[in-house]
Amino acid sequence: MSFLYKADPARGAVWARLFAQRAPETEFRLWPDVGDAREVRYLAAWKPPEDLNALLPNVEVVFSTGAGIDQFDLSRVPDHIPVVRMVEPGIVEGMVEYVTQAVLSIHRDIFAYAHQQTMRQWTELAVMPASERRVGVLGLGMLGQAVLSRLKAFGFDCAGWSRTPRHVDGVAGYAGYESLDAFLARTDVLVCLLPLTSATRGILDKRLLGGLPRGAWLINVGRGPHLNQYALMALLDSGHLSGAILDVTDPEPLPPSHPLWAHPKVRITPHIASATRPETAVEVVLENLRRHRAGLTMIGQIDRTQGY
Ligand code: GLV
């Protein structure tokens, strides 16, 4: 029984070492060294090979090496094969760190001070209590919930929106599209942690961002195609929005000529907010292999009808 890894080779080498230690009975193969393809039962990939079915006829489970599944062409994965996204503690911790630093930087005017420094200007700005800063997270999966729990501990006024009702302790919950406007109207810092699906592509558009109060901020740590980047720049230029922190763009990498790079109210990081940590992820994958053999649902197994 073999497990095939098809993603970044350097990270793959770490996975290989961890598998050798933690699951020596499973033969670990690194793409493109597929070996006898008929022996491959499990595939972990950022993107599965296009001809998956022909290439790996006996695959039983396909794992995404990332939290998102939007980079998969699900029509190429036969219906009977479960698809599992990466839901693991390391990726959650990284995302909590990134969003926390982004919200705190906005909250404590770090960008305004960076601008003042370019002018050698020593001017204090009033500090607003966290309890008066209204943070709203779009998407209440594992990542959104963990981010809100941490921000809540800083005292921010927190709310979350999700398609179907989800409860997070101490956080105001909004569910369904009919409650979206009310959620936006109370949000000064909007964090996007939605999955990218046909329903959420382009969701951060002129109408949605225009529904935020004047002076609001956007943090996009979902996917670049969630956001209409030109609508964002128009709302920044008009002064409706104060700024945006984007860890994801469309396309990636963002071409050097793209106007987002030079926009004075935009901060960009190159999709580094969080990544799967092999050391913690391998435990989840091994648990999922046990679950699969026992006929149980796996952690992170997607619902194909929803696309996540
Ligand atoms: C990264 O964006 C991931 O999906 O893990």
Side-chain angles (χ1 to χ4, degrees):
M1 181 184 52
S2 294
F3 187 105
L4 175 64
Y5 181 95
K6 177 183 174 292
D8 174 59
R11 295 168 71 81
V14 181
W15 280 82
R17 180 170 52 73
L18 291 165
F19 257 77
Q21 288 164 1
R22 303 280 298 110
E25 69 287 358
T26 304
E27 196 207 343
F28 190 90
R29 299 181 185 173
L30 262 179
W31 180 273
D33 294 329
V34 177
D36 181 348
R38 287 165 306 181
E39 291 167 4
V40 174
R41 293 281 188 275
Y42 305 105
L43 171 69
W46 174 249
K47 262 186 195 202
E50 295 217 333
D51 46 354
L52 173 71
N53 208 18
L55 199 68
L56 304 170
N58 296 322
V59 147
E60 291 173 19
V61 184
V62 177
F63 295 94
S64 167
T65 55
I69 204 82
D70 49 284
Q71 71 283 6
F72 273 44
D73 179 355
L74 287 173
S75 69
R76 298 251 178 198
V77 183
D79 279 343
H80 67 277
I81 298 179
V83 176
V84 181
R85 16 184 235 102
M86 197 56 77
V87 175
E88 64 93 11
I91 209 165
V92 176
E93 200 46 49
M95 188 56 82
V96 168
E97 280 179 12
Y98 184 94
V99 176
T100 302
Q101 68 76 31
V103 171
L104 287 174
S105 298
I106 292 166
H107 178 58
R108 296 307 307 269
D109 300 308
I110 296 306
F111 306 115
Y113 287 120
H115 180 63
Q116 284 189 191
Q117 185 169 351
T118 64
M119 299 184 299
R120 300 170 186 248
Q121 182 187 338
W122 184 286
T123 308
E124 278 180 41
L125 302 172
V127 177
M128 179 196 269
S131 59
E132 289 175 24
R133 185 82 69 179
R134 299 168 300 174
V135 180
V137 174
L138 275 175
L140 293 179
M142 183 88 134
L143 297 174
Q145 295 190 23
V147 160
L148 278 166
S149 299
R150 190 72 60 90
L151 291 174
K152 182 75 207 150
F154 281 96
F156 291 108
D157 180 354
C158 290
W161 180 89
S162 50
R163 203 172 43 85
T164 54
R166 295 276 177 96
H167 175 77
V168 185
D169 271 348
V171 170
Y174 293 78
Y177 287 98
E178 60 286 356
S179 73
L180 189 54
D181 287 349
F183 165 78
L184 295 169
R186 55 74 58 210
T187 294
D188 301 312
V189 181
L190 179 69
V191 180
C192 175
L193 267 168
L194 291 167
L196 182 64
T197 66
S198 54
T200 64
R201 185 172 290 273
I203 190 170
L204 303 175
D205 60 4
K206 183 175 174 207
R207 206 195 77 79
L208 184 146
L209 297 172
L212 293 166
R214 194 173 173 82
W217 287 73
L218 171 69
I219 300 170
N220 190 14
V221 277
R223 289 285 187 252
H226 281 130
L227 173 65
N228 181 330
Q229 296 170 158
Y230 290 90
L232 170 70
M233 285 188 280
L235 287 161
L236 291 167
D237 292 340
S238 75
H240 185 77
L241 295 181
S242 291
I245 300 178
L246 307 178
D247 182 58
V248 287
T249 61
D250 186 20
E252 291 182 7
L254 192 64
S257 60
H258 199 285
L260 267 181
W261 279 118
H263 198 288
K265 295 182 177 171
V266 175
R267 293 284 174 282
I268 295 170
T269 49
H271 202 138
I272 48 70
S274 191
T276 300
R277 285 189 198 144
E279 291 77 3
T280 41
V282 89
E283 300 303 326
V284 176
V285 168
L286 294 179
E287 169 62 18
N288 274 339
L289 296 185
R290 280 187 287 274
R291 288 187 184 209
H292 177 64
R293 284 178 210 130
L296 301 171
T297 304
M298 288 168 279
I299 304 159
Q301 188 167 335
I302 70 154
D303 173 351
R304 287 197 184 213
T305 60
Q306 299 295 348
Y308 70 95

